[in-house]
């Protein structure tokens, strides 16, 4: 079945384009790329870049080339049998986005392939309410936290290494607020105690910290 959220517009040939990948019986989901309908909204940055452009245009297609794409919902062609095999472990109280992320992880754990072509297949509606954008980011952070630490997530599942790394890469941005909060807490504790939490010589500090800073920038 083809999944489309209300307000999104699909390309006329979306079924044919995505359905070609389902000729492989191991493919569970072909997640089409989605682009925004407008270029000015609370979801866009100062330079007109959409908040989720990196995930849609780069990260998910890269994961799809490794058969471990994330099921983001709208614009996806789904093999019904593959979804039915994991529905028993999905809680009905989850919101749609969290349920899709976790169902996709369960499919990957069961040996299914999840693909994400780079060709845009849908244009999605823009959120114009600041409160709705904040709620969406909160939902994403909660879903990413459960995707990493919850049952069937990157840590507590039978996933292979490639799929685990894919889930961790997908959760990095939604969980950036927690990472910053932890960093601030460590710095505050060090200031109050008057002692740094670790000690390195200058060469060791450069060897440990510089690659991390460069990798985060990339």
């Amino acid at each position: 079945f083809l999944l489309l959220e209300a307000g999104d517009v699909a390309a006329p040939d979306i079924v044919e384009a995505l359905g070609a990948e389902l000729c492989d019986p191991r493919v569970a989901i072909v997640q089409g790329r989605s682009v925004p309908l407008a270029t000015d909204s609370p979801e866009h940055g100062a330079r007109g870049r959409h908040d989720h452009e990196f995930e849609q245009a780069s990260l998910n297609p890269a994961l799809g080339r490794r058969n471990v794409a994330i099921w983001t919902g709208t614009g996806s062609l789904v093999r019904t049998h593959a979804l039915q095999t994991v529905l028993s472990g999905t809680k009905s109280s989850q919101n749609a986005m969290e349920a899709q992320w976790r169902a996709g992880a369960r499919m990957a754990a069961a040996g299914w392939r999840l693909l994400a072509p780079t060709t845009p297949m849908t244009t999605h509606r823009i959120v114009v309410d600041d409160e709705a954008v904040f709620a969406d980011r909160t939902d994403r952070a909660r879903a990413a936290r459960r995707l990493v630490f919850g049952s069937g997530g990157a840590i507590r599942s039978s996933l292979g290494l490639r799929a685990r790394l894919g889930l961790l890469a997908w959760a990095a941005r939604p969980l950036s607020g927690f990472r910053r909060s932890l960093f601030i807490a460590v710095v505050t504790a060090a200031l109050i105690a008057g002692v740094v939490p670790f000690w390195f010589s200058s060469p060791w500090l450069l060897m440990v910290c510089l690659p991390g800073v460069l990798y985060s920038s990339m």
Side-chain angles (χ1 to χ4, degrees):
F1 64 90
L2 177 68
L3 178 61
L4 280 177
E5 293 182 4
D8 295 349
V9 181
D13 61 340
I14 184 171
V15 174
E16 291 80 3
L18 300 183
E21 302 287 355
L22 288 180
C23 293
D24 185 344
R26 298 170 298 171
V27 174
I29 293 176
V30 186
Q31 176 62 60
R33 181 185 165 191
S34 183
V35 295
L37 281 167
T39 58
D40 185 18
S41 76
E43 292 184 300
H44 286 80
R47 298 182 180 180
R49 183 185 180 92
H50 193 270
D51 288 347
H52 307 311
E53 181 179 348
F54 167 70
E55 285 84 350
Q56 290 285 346
S58 301
L59 179 57
N60 214 25
L63 296 178
R65 289 191 291 272
R66 293 156 178 81
N67 300 321
V68 290
I70 303 298
W71 184 23
T72 59
T74 188
S76 59
L77 200 61
V78 185
R79 191 183 298 276
T80 307
H81 169 65
L83 181 59
Q84 288 174 337
T85 60
V86 300
L87 280 179
S88 59
T90 304
K91 298 179 181 179
S92 59
S93 60
Q94 295 172 340
N95 63 32
M97 179 179 62
E98 182 179 345
Q100 289 155 5
W101 288 10
R102 300 192 70 181
R106 290 190 178 96
M107 291 183 203
W112 292 98
R113 297 174 57 190
L114 286 76
L115 310 180
T118 57
T119 305
M121 286 285 103
T122 59
T123 52
H124 61 83
R125 68 192 188 284
I126 294 298
V127 178
V128 297
D129 184 7
D130 290 337
E131 293 184 0
V133 173
F134 175 78
D136 176 73
R137 291 175 178 173
T138 302
D139 290 341
R140 287 178 178 274
R142 182 177 61 252
R145 185 171 65 251
R146 294 178 178 173
L147 198 63
V148 174
F149 302 105
S151 175
I155 296 177
R156 302 166 53 193
S157 71
S158 58
L159 288 166
L161 178 61
R162 179 176 296 181
R164 291 176 189 269
L165 292 177
L167 294 182
L168 292 174
W170 185 262
R173 289 229 306 176
L175 293 179
S176 61
F178 295 98
R179 186 180 70 247
R180 295 188 183 99
S181 299
L182 179 61
F183 177 77
I184 293 173
V186 171
V187 171
T188 302
L191 290 173
I192 294 175
V195 180
V196 294
F198 57 85
W199 182 87
F200 280 118
S201 62
S202 297
W204 275 106
L205 190 63
L206 288 175
M207 290 174 60
V208 171
C209 294
L210 186 59
V213 172
L214 295 177
Y215 182 73
S216 298
S217 300
M218 288 190 292

